[in-house]
Amino acid sequence: MPKEEPLLRVRRLARIFGSGCSKCTSCTGPLTGTNICSYCHSIVACAGVSFDLYAGEILGVVGESGSGKSTLVQCLYFDSPATAGEAYFKAYKDGQANMLACSVQEKRYIRHHLMGMVYQNPQQGLKLDFTAGGNIAEKLLAAGIYHVGQIRRRAAELLQCTEVPLERMDHLPRFFSGGMQQRVQIAKALANNPPLVFLDEVTTGLDVSVQARVLDLIKKLQRKLGLTMIVISHDLGVIRLLTNRVLVMKSGRVVETGLTDQILEDPQHPYTQLLVSSML
Amino acid sequence: MAEILRVLGLTKIFKLHLLGGKEVIGCKDISFTLGTGEVLGIQGPSGVGKSTVLKCIYRSYVASAGQAFYRSINGVVDLLQVPERDILELRRQEIGYVSQFLRVVPRVSALQVVAESILLQGREESSALREAGRLLMYLGIPKELWDASPATYSGGQQQRVNVARAIITCPRLLLLDEPTASLDEQAKQRVHELILELKQKGTAVLMVSHDRASLEQVADRILFLDCVGDNQTGEVTRRAFEVAHH
Amino acid sequence: MLKKKIQSGYNFAFLDEQSKKEIRRRTLKAVAIPGYQVPFASRELPIARGWGTGGLQLTMSLIGPDDILKVIDQGSDDVVNAVNIRKLLAQTTGVRTTEDTREATLIQTRHRIPEEPLEDWQILVFQVPYPEPLRRVEPSEVKTREMHAEADYSRLWVYLYEDIVRWGEITIGAQYPVMVNGRYVMDPSPVPRWDVPRLNMAETLYLFGAGREKRIYAVPPHTRVESLQFSDYPFQVEDFTGKQCDLCGSTDAYLDEIIDDVTGARRYTCSDTAYCAKRRQLKEEAGKNA
């Protein structure tokens, strides 16, 4: 097989809320079944997370609430500072520098130019009192496009792509349905053709029919644009539909990784077996 | 006939943590070889582990022991060991798999389902859809059904869609799990013809079936899986006999 | 105007020397980092906050016995706020005051830059009500400071974009946000757009003081000051084409519109009253000489 460098290499990523101590990682995790350090009472949201992600791949991260899957993505998108660990991103300094250790300005650059994020809650990803077009414009402006005509053309293109009616472009997403808010978020995330997109529980809380439409859209865009994505979900159905590979997380640790069909058909870890057997 | 697949001592033991770590044997110590343009049938009673063998080779299952050397375009690899990323690439480009039951998103048309695998290979959309249509036509799926989801099809029709989506890529290695189980005689013949057509093109086929007649029609050799019970330990040992025919 | 006697019982220029020193130190920092808002301990003054106390403290900390002071409010020397501030400063310093822009060494202003060109020996002090240009898009001070630190101005840009989408143009009149030295977005205080280009590469030191908000910032001479604009919607100043000052006939000054209550007729006069008076005087003299 021709060897190619991963787009993203994450090594021993950890995020600890609280003072932290030397025993934090040893007394938490799936074996003890807790996130809380019994010595210093810090919360170990995730620890020791390592993985490689290749261009064009869709990696799923699955686990129950509190397993640390969202924290993982928040650290990689700089919403939350990682406590320890390294991440090398091919699109940033050719993957030679640990992006978790770079300056705030550089992090902002990476976020705006090289990454896209779709949050579970549109309020987090959208400014609801900016118009739909304005929300997309924010990304484009952050990337230095100061031409209203160009911005509107690109915004229209993206909204069309994400199946948002063009006449809604100058309306406030505050008055949109949940599904449409999510589609605007996706359009915004894709505004600068980022090499890496994060999807954090994007369909949770939507009606099933709307959920299906959003998922189909993501799948369609992924194929069309060759997106590389990390998909966070507690829903194995979403994971099955979207991803090629999966990390299974529990109590802040990765307990199992594998091909998506393998994880679903032949889970190895006791927790994964429980998770799969709990599928509806 | 060049050897393309050599399976050695393939063993799969399931450990069921929800049942207190109980171990169940899927298959044990299976070995065989397969050449290009060869069809190897795998036969045996239900529950004997025929599908397990295929799934281990396809990596849907994690094998417990053994090796499966596969001669890919880029050299020989052990399918049971290569990185996940390489397996995904091999699945996309070289290895086809027809599962026993079709599993599709109920919103995607049959035409799209069949075309998907060549679209993933980078085929242009209209040509991919044409190709998919041609196959569905050949397999006797009425044109007016093409826009509907295969989930709405009868069992036999679903199975034909399943076969179509795997063989459309002309894989180098094709794994078939009961591809003709729920087909009527005519449809079965069509599937057999397609398999033989692929064989002509050099595809190596591993075909699981409990239908002896089917296998005899297409298979060059048959691997017979039998269980030899050892009831005292509650274990079932599976042994493979290779039965050459013709 | 004549030098007046210093009001006894107060320190020179009202503030104590320690306070003046602190404010001068802040001012130096502001000059060193053009456009950056430097926090300072805004003092109590005999004028309510929000009435020009920021500018006043700057003036008090800078003024010396030899300075010649001019105070204007929206271009006028005779408005009550300007008069009161001028009186307070004159009484506590005894410096000479003037209405002539070309003569003043120190000018305190509210919402205008005098029409006559300023030079490098002059300082213009602005009274600023709201120093934070990002306030219209972000209510939290902690966040706006973070945004400045990271030069994250995309939300302000979105605000301008939405303005264009909604109204076909940027509707901000006064307080038009500017980029200073390619780094900090700054509020130029509520001067009309007309005055904004005059901040760019100027000869004069511009100081901005916000008393209630406790901020000092500066545009040193020869500093780039660019209005935020889109390449297809360039920044434009107020358009007075076809209009002229009713009093002095000027066509190249910022004009105030006056609507007659009875007839509803519109008239225009120079906003800078001293400039207008000077022009009229020159005209008169020219008339006499002719």
Side-chain angles (χ1 to χ4, degrees):
Chain A
M1 294 276 123
K3 284 287 163 263
E4 115 182 57
E5 267 181 72
L7 180 71
L8 180 69
R9 277 186 298 142
V10 176
R11 294 292 176 269
R12 297 172 305 278
L13 184 88
R15 173 73 172 115
I16 297 171
F17 293 92
S19 53
C21 68
S22 55
K23 298 194 173 88
C24 271
T25 42
S26 56
C27 70
T28 58
L31 284 177
T32 52
T34 178
N35 281 10
I36 302 169
C37 172
S38 49
Y39 294 88
C40 69
H41 305 292
S42 297
I43 296 165
V44 182
C46 64
V49 178
S50 302
F51 64 88
D52 286 344
L53 178 69
Y54 290 85
E57 230 179 4
I58 313 173
L59 179 70
V61 183
V62 71
E64 62 201 1
S65 323
S67 60
K69 54 194 193 306
S70 285
T71 305
L72 168 66
V73 161
Q74 280 161 13
C75 287
L76 293 175
Y77 193 61
F78 311 116
D79 275 339
S80 176
T83 312
E86 290 147 43
Y88 301 92
F89 184 24
K90 190 92 174 69
Y92 170 68
K93 293 194 175 162
D94 203 35
Q96 297 303 306
N98 175 13
M99 68 168 186
L100 298 178
C102 71
S103 75
V104 185
Q105 281 89 344
E106 282 175 307
K107 285 178 180 170
R108 215 176 69 80
Y109 171 83
I110 296 172
R111 258 173 83 111
H112 280 306
H113 292 245
L114 308 176
M115 290 176 179
M117 172 72 140
V118 183
Y119 295 93
Q120 174 181 355
N121 187 347
Q123 282 177 14
Q124 230 179 318
L126 296 177
K127 306 260 161 29
L128 296 183
D129 39 9
F130 284 163
T131 60
N135 270 288
I136 296 170
E138 188 182 7
K139 273 271 188 184
L140 299 170
L141 287 163
I145 299 170
Y146 299 118
H147 187 287
V148 176
Q150 266 176 32
I151 289 171
R152 291 186 69 74
R153 269 196 299 282
R154 176 71 180 142
E157 196 181 294
L158 286 160
L159 291 175
Q160 213 153 25
C161 231
T162 53
E163 295 159 16
V164 176
L166 274 192
E167 62 266 25
R168 305 303 301 265
M169 178 153 134
D170 297 326
H171 294 188
L172 299 182
R174 182 182 297 288
F175 305 113
F176 289 8
S177 67
M180 204 188 293
Q181 286 181 344
Q182 239 22 351
R183 290 200 296 277
V184 174
Q185 248 207 109
I186 294 168
K188 181 177 184 176
L190 300 180
N192 290 324
N193 292 319
L196 179 58
V197 179
F198 301 107
L199 304 177
D200 188 359
E201 301 273 13
V202 276
T203 53
T204 311
L206 298 178
D207 290 339
V208 269
S209 58
V210 181
Q211 203 173 48
R213 239 187 109 189
V214 171
L215 291 175
D216 287 350
L217 171 70
I218 293 170
K219 212 166 160 56
K220 198 179 94 191
L221 290 174
Q222 197 278 331
R223 172 147 344 139
K224 202 166 124 193
L225 307 172
L227 299 173
T228 310
M229 303 197 287
I230 297 183
V231 178
I232 306 287
S233 186
H234 66 277
D235 183 344
L236 287 172
V238 172
I239 294 289
R240 182 208 300 275
L241 187 70
L242 293 181
T243 69
N244 315 121
R245 285 199 302 132
V246 186
L247 303 182
V248 183
M249 289 188 73
K250 163 115 174 85
S251 303
R253 309 301 147 85
V254 175
V255 294
E256 185 171 352
T257 68
L259 298 167
T260 304
D261 56 323
Q262 178 253 301
I263 292 288
L264 292 168
E265 289 190 43
D266 185 21
Q268 305 290 305
H269 191 273
Y271 173 69
T272 319
Q273 291 191 355
L274 178 69
L275 203 66
V276 171
S277 71
S278 311
M279 261 180 99
L280 295 177
Chain B
M1 190 170 63
E3 182 180 294
I4 190 165
L5 183 69
R6 172 180 289 264
V7 174
L8 295 171
L10 178 64
T11 302
K12 173 62 187 170
I13 296 163
F14 295 97
K15 188 163 184 177
L16 307 179
H17 292 281
L18 297 180
L19 300 175
K22 181 176 172 183
E23 294 196 343
V24 175
I25 294 175
C27 62
K28 200 166 183 180
D29 204 16
I30 308 279
S31 302
F32 60 87
T33 62
L34 181 63
T36 52
E38 185 183 23
V39 178
L40 176 65
I42 301 181
Q43 206 196 357
S46 291
V48 79
K50 306 186 293 290
S51 299
T52 303
V53 173
L54 290 196
K55 286 185 174 180
C56 283
I57 293 171
Y58 196 60
R59 277 283 279 277
S60 287
Y61 284 173
V62 180
S64 311
Q67 287 135 334
F69 294 110
Y70 168 71
R71 188 180 304 280
S72 78
I73 293 170
N74 298 303
V76 176
V77 292
D78 180 356
L79 291 176
L80 309 186
Q81 298 295 332
V82 293
E84 285 155 5
R85 174 165 174 71
D86 296 349
I87 277 289
L88 287 171
E89 187 58 23
L90 285 172
R91 285 181 181 182
R92 196 157 33 238
Q93 301 296 354
E94 299 187 28
I95 303 177
Y97 174 65
V98 176
S99 58
Q100 212 165 346
F101 306 102
L102 178 70
R103 178 142 203 167
V104 289
V105 180
R107 301 177 294 278
V108 184
S109 74
L111 209 55
Q112 283 286 345
V113 165
V114 175
E116 166 149 349
S117 37
I118 45 177
L119 283 172
L120 282 177
Q121 288 183 338
R123 183 86 76 91
E124 184 263 325
E125 179 151 7
S126 62
S127 123
L129 291 177
R130 242 191 339 270
E131 178 76 17
R134 195 186 63 77
L135 256 180
L136 286 176
M137 180 86 85
Y138 185 78
L139 285 167
I141 306 288
K143 200 168 181 177
E144 59 267 28
L145 288 182
W146 293 359
D147 292 334
S149 163
T152 61
Y153 287 12
S154 74
Q157 287 169 330
Q158 286 192 10
Q159 194 54 16
R160 277 176 274 172
V161 171
N162 210 2
V163 170
R165 79 198 284 207
I167 65 177
I168 193 168
T169 59
C170 278
R172 297 182 70 231
L173 173 63
L174 180 60
L175 310 171
L176 298 168
D177 196 351
E178 303 279 9
T180 55
S182 44
L183 298 187
D184 59 42
E185 210 40 55
Q186 195 194 354
K188 206 182 270 184
Q189 284 313 315
R190 287 281 167 89
V191 171
H192 289 165
E193 282 161 27
L194 282 174
I195 293 171
L196 290 172
E197 201 179 298
L198 282 177
K199 172 181 153 72
Q200 285 304 311
K201 291 179 187 164
T203 299
V205 182
L206 206 51
M207 176 167 158
V208 163
S209 181
H210 62 264
D211 176 359
R212 177 108 204 177
S214 231
L215 284 182
E216 278 178 357
Q217 203 180 346
V218 292
D220 298 306
R221 288 180 297 139
I222 294 177
L223 181 72
F224 192 77
L225 294 191
D226 189 11
C227 45
V228 178
D230 184 353
N231 293 328
Q232 272 163 339
T233 61
E235 267 189 15
V236 181
T237 315
R238 269 118 211 203
R239 233 175 33 201
F241 302 99
E242 217 171 278
V243 185
H245 80 296
H246 296 317
Chain C
M1 272 176 238
L2 286 172
K3 269 200 174 185
K4 283 186 186 138
K5 193 177 173 293
I6 305 180
Q7 188 92 24
S8 60
Y10 291 108
N11 189 32
F12 180 81
F14 186 80
L15 287 178
D16 62 284
E17 292 305 315
Q18 280 305 319
S19 298
K20 289 201 249 175
K21 220 183 238 178
E22 192 243 297
I23 294 167
R24 282 198 292 266
R25 275 201 299 266
R26 302 295 157 166
T27 308
L28 282 175
K29 178 167 180 181
V31 170
I33 317 172
Y36 172 70
Q37 300 168 49
V38 184
F40 81 111
S42 187
R43 265 49 181 198
E44 290 295 336
L45 291 172
I47 291 181
R49 285 192 172 154
W51 287 85
T53 51
L56 190 53
Q57 289 176 79
L58 279 171
T59 306
M60 286 170 162
S61 71
L62 293 168
I63 199 164
D66 301 331
D67 272 312
I68 303 171
L69 178 72
K70 173 180 164 78
V71 183
I72 49 173
D73 178 351
Q74 306 233 17
S76 168
D77 295 76
D78 307 322
V79 180
V80 64
N81 185 234
V83 171
N84 282 334
I85 288 173
R86 186 188 308 116
K87 266 191 191 162
L88 173 66
L89 287 165
Q91 282 179 13
T92 54
T93 61
V95 302
R96 193 155 78 79
T97 61
T98 181
E99 290 194 1
D100 186 354
T101 302
R102 304 287 293 152
E103 188 187 24
T105 56
L106 193 56
I107 304 172
Q108 180 170 335
T109 178
R110 176 174 173 267
H111 304 2
R112 270 312 309 275
I113 296 175
E115 296 291 349
E116 288 178 278
L118 298 169
E119 291 180 37
D120 57 3
W121 47 270
Q122 296 176 299
I123 295 177
L124 189 63
V125 174
F126 291 83
Q127 301 169 201
V128 179
Y130 304 105
E132 182 50 76
L134 298 174
R135 192 61 72 228
R136 33 178 131 231
V137 293
E138 176 55 62
S140 153
E141 175 70 15
V142 174
K143 289 246 179 69
T144 52
R145 296 182 83 170
E146 226 172 74
M147 288 159 81
H148 280 296
E150 298 179 17
D152 176 9
Y153 296 123
S154 49
R155 275 162 72 188
L156 184 61
W157 279 104
V158 176
Y159 179 91
L160 300 178
Y161 161 86
E162 302 244 291
D163 226 16
I164 290 172
V165 167
R166 208 162 306 154
W167 309 107
E169 60 174 337
I170 295 174
T171 56
I172 303 174
Q175 273 188 301
Y176 195 95
V178 292
M179 173 65 83
V180 179
N181 203 25
R183 177 60 183 83
Y184 287 100
V185 165
M186 185 190 90
D187 182 323
S189 87
V191 297
R193 291 180 177 207
W194 182 269
D195 288 341
V196 173
R198 298 165 67 198
L199 295 169
N200 184 37
M201 295 311 256
E203 293 292 323
T204 316
L205 171 62
Y206 297 114
L207 297 176
F208 298 81
R212 183 180 47 203
E213 306 286 328
K214 305 186 179 70
R215 294 287 183 275
I216 291 171
Y217 52 100
V219 175
H222 307 287
T223 303
R224 266 187 302 134
V225 176
E226 296 143 316
S227 307
L228 300 190
Q229 59 181 348
F230 291 94
S231 37
D232 51 345
Y233 284 85
F235 171 81
Q236 281 170 329
V237 298
E238 291 82 355
D239 182 15
F240 296 116
T241 324
K243 292 161 191 152
Q244 61 169 21
C245 174
D246 231 27
L247 304 173
C248 72
S250 170
T251 54
D252 56 0
Y254 182 75
L255 301 175
D256 285 335
E257 187 182 66
I258 298 161
I259 300 174
D260 192 304
D261 286 345
V262 186
T263 63
R266 283 157 201 265
R267 296 192 302 126
Y268 295 91
T269 59
C270 288
S271 137
D272 185 341
T273 54
Y275 167 76
C276 192
K278 203 184 236 180
R279 273 181 58 97
R280 274 178 284 157
Q281 202 185 341
L282 283 173
K283 253 192 194 168
E284 228 169 81
E285 280 164 15
K288 271 181 201 161
N289 293 345

